[in-house]
Amino acid sequence: MEEKKQNVIEKYLDTKQKKIIAGCLAGVLVIGCAGAVILNTSSSKELVLASDEVKAEFGQRVSTNVADYLDANKSGDVDKIIKDTKEKDNLKYVTVTNKDENGNVVSKEEKDYPEVGDYEISFTYKKEKSTVKVSVKDTTKPEIEAPESIDVIQYTDLSTFNFGELLKATDYSDVKDWKIDTSKVDVNTIGSYELKVSIQDKYKNKATKKLKVNIVQAPEVSEGEVAVTEVVTDENGNKKTVVTKKASDQVSKNDAVASTSPVSNKGTVNSSSSSSASKPTTNSGTSKPSGNNTSSSNSSNSSSSSSKGDEHKHNYNIPITKTVHHDAVTKVVHHDAVTRQETYTVVDKEAYDEPVYETHVVCKVCGQDFGKGSEASLNAGDHSAITGHSYHSTKVQAGTKHHDAVTHQETKTVVVTPAYDETVVVKQAYDETVTTGYKCSCGATK
């Protein structure tokens, strides 16, 4: 009987022990699961970006607004994230210096696109921080504007020709000098040839363009004049060449003076990308017209003939002249407007103060405010016992919460100097003495 009782007790203890162990294991599992849930919750992110890398072409604006980077499907409360996220970046923006025709600085303006380089944009929301790497590169070649064809006088030295005045390159980066391939142009033979121009920016992006060069015959010139190829601007603002002649002292530094004899062509020449940096063209020679004077070597014969009573022979050695007036030659030069960018602040939502309320215990009769919490209720009870007044819990304004104004920055273009057209005198008006014939001392004319 005693042994049976002992077996029952051991069986009971064994069963109880198993239950205790099972209970402990269950407890560990519950605690482990709860810990896993807490760990999983704490590691979940609300600020999730669709990409952490941005590649931009030089000249493009790079956004610093977190709304443009958020992954709305994986982030938390998007509106709240956009509102409360703080942004910080190291973007370095391009500054452009505007100069007048004389090279004087008239203004400086900061563009809304960053310089070539690598940057970072950091977004911080609560305790989360995400970084976007920004890479700005210049892979765009310059844009070239050039006339389809130009006229150049025969025997013009192309190594001194001001091609840069005819060409225009547009590029966000600084460009180097023009490379002019003149190898296919024979300036000594009248005809049409192909000319190739190219230009490269500081990041080795190269652009090329082909145009036609017409080698034309030089106009006839008088003494003191030279034949030149001049670059002018037409009524539509387009650059073109004009073949003309000028007085030697009226030749400008941008005029290409033609020689009177063949010249060598070097094949490839450089030309400044700034028209103001062109070298002056010097006079290569003077062409003199042939005279119409009649020789007077027979004057002795004339005198001897006169002494012999022969008929008078005319000697036309006295020039007959007249004055011809030439009006001034002018051209219209267009000057673009000079502008600058100004930044100003736009208020999207005004600042305001929001009242903050707390639940206080207040006497209904005398209005005494006992504050909040259990102590306030005890004090109100004592007050009620003494005065017989009743009390209740009600909301009382405890202060205010200030909300700053919501603003953003905008830019506008301000005109520093309006665009204008200037009439420039290419050649001054002058009077020319022209020989129209010759006369003899006797009055006879020829």
Side-chain angles (χ1 to χ4, degrees), residues 10-55:
E10 288 178 358
K11 183 177 181 181
Y12 168 78
L13 290 174
D14 182 61
T15 304
K16 186 175 181 181
Q17 187 177 12
K18 289 180 179 178
K19 288 182 178 180
I20 291 171
I21 294 172
C24 291
L25 288 174
V28 171
L29 289 173
V30 170
I31 294 170
C33 291
V37 171
I38 293 170
L39 180 62
N40 184 57
T41 303
S42 62
S43 63
S44 63
K45 294 186 66 175
E46 294 184 79
L47 178 65
V48 181
L49 305 184
S51 175
D52 60 354
E53 183 179 10
V54 171
K55 294 182 179 180

Side-chain angles (χ1 to χ4, degrees), residues 24 62 94 103 111 118 140 156 181 226 234 238 257 297 342 379 385 388 398 432:
C24 291
V62 176
V94 172
K111 297 296 185 179
D118 295 323
T140 304
T156 297
D181 182 3
V226 290
D234 64 17
N238 300 318
V257 179
S297 60
E342 288 189 356
N379 293 334
E432 179 185 12

Side-chain angles (χ1 to χ4, degrees), residues 44 64 88 104 164 172 174 183 187 287 321 356 380 389 421:
S44 63
T64 57
K88 185 178 180 180
N104 300 316
Y172 283 106
D174 295 331
S183 58
V187 294
S287 176
T321 61
V356 177
H389 296 171
D421 292 329

Side-chain angles (χ1 to χ4, degrees), residues 4 30 54 93 119 135 142 156 163 236 244 253 306 324 380 394 416:
K4 184 177 182 181
V30 170
V54 171
Y93 292 92
Y119 307 94
S135 176
T156 297
F163 288 101
N236 297 319
T244 185
K253 65 179 183 179
S306 298
V324 178
T394 185
V416 178

Side-chain angles (χ1 to χ4, degrees), residues 136-342:
V136 180
K137 295 183 179 180
D138 186 357
T139 62
T140 304
K141 62 184 180 181
E143 292 183 3
I144 298 176
E145 290 183 27
E148 294 297 323
S149 65
I150 60 173
D151 293 340
V152 177
I153 297 176
Q154 186 182 22
Y155 305 141
T156 297
D157 185 356
L158 295 184
S159 66
T160 61
F161 191 88
N162 188 15
F163 288 101
E165 185 73 8
L166 287 164
L167 307 173
K168 182 180 179 181
T170 303
D171 194 272
Y172 283 106
S173 300
D174 295 331
V175 294
K176 299 181 181 180
D177 286 344
W178 292 96
K179 300 292 183 182
I180 316 296
D181 182 3
T182 62
S183 58
K184 295 183 179 180
V185 181
D186 183 0
V187 294
N188 301 316
T189 304
I190 294 174
S192 295
Y193 305 91
E194 183 184 272
L195 180 78
K196 185 171 74 173
V197 301
S198 62
I199 196 165
Q200 181 174 285
D201 64 22
K202 63 184 292 185
Y203 297 104
K204 298 183 179 181
N205 299 305
K206 184 179 180 181
T208 60
K209 189 176 181 66
K210 294 179 181 179
L211 57 146
K212 186 170 68 173
V213 176
N214 303 313
I215 303 301
V216 299
Q217 187 173 4
E220 293 186 3
V221 295
S222 303
E223 184 176 358
E225 291 183 333
V226 290
V228 298
T229 302
E230 180 186 12
V231 178
V232 299
T233 305
D234 64 17
E235 63 275 7
N236 297 319
N238 300 318
K239 297 284 188 178
K240 65 178 183 179
T241 57
V242 174
V243 172
T244 185
K245 56 183 178 180
K246 289 186 176 182
S248 299
D249 59 351
Q250 297 297 323
V251 176
S252 74
K253 65 179 183 179
N254 291 327
D255 294 331
V257 179
S259 175
T260 56
S261 59
V263 295
S264 62
N265 188 4
K266 297 181 180 179
T268 301
V269 297
N270 293 338
S271 185
S272 173
S273 58
S274 173
S275 59
S276 60
S278 303
K279 294 182 180 180
T281 303
T282 57
N283 187 4
S284 59
T286 301
S287 176
K288 296 182 179 181
S290 58
N292 292 325
N293 291 339
T294 302
S295 175
S296 58
S297 60
N298 293 329
S299 57
S300 59
N301 294 334
S302 299
S303 59
S304 61
S305 299
S306 298
S307 63
K308 295 179 181 180
D310 293 340
E311 183 181 355
H312 170 70
K313 293 184 178 180
H314 299 296
N315 187 9
Y316 299 101
N317 59 357
I318 302 174
I320 302 172
T321 61
K322 70 174 182 178
T323 301
V324 178
H325 177 74
H326 298 270
D327 292 330
V329 178
T330 62
K331 65 179 180 180
V332 177
V333 178
H334 178 73
H335 300 270
D336 293 332
V338 179
T339 62
R340 69 169 184 268
Q341 297 294 114
E342 288 189 356

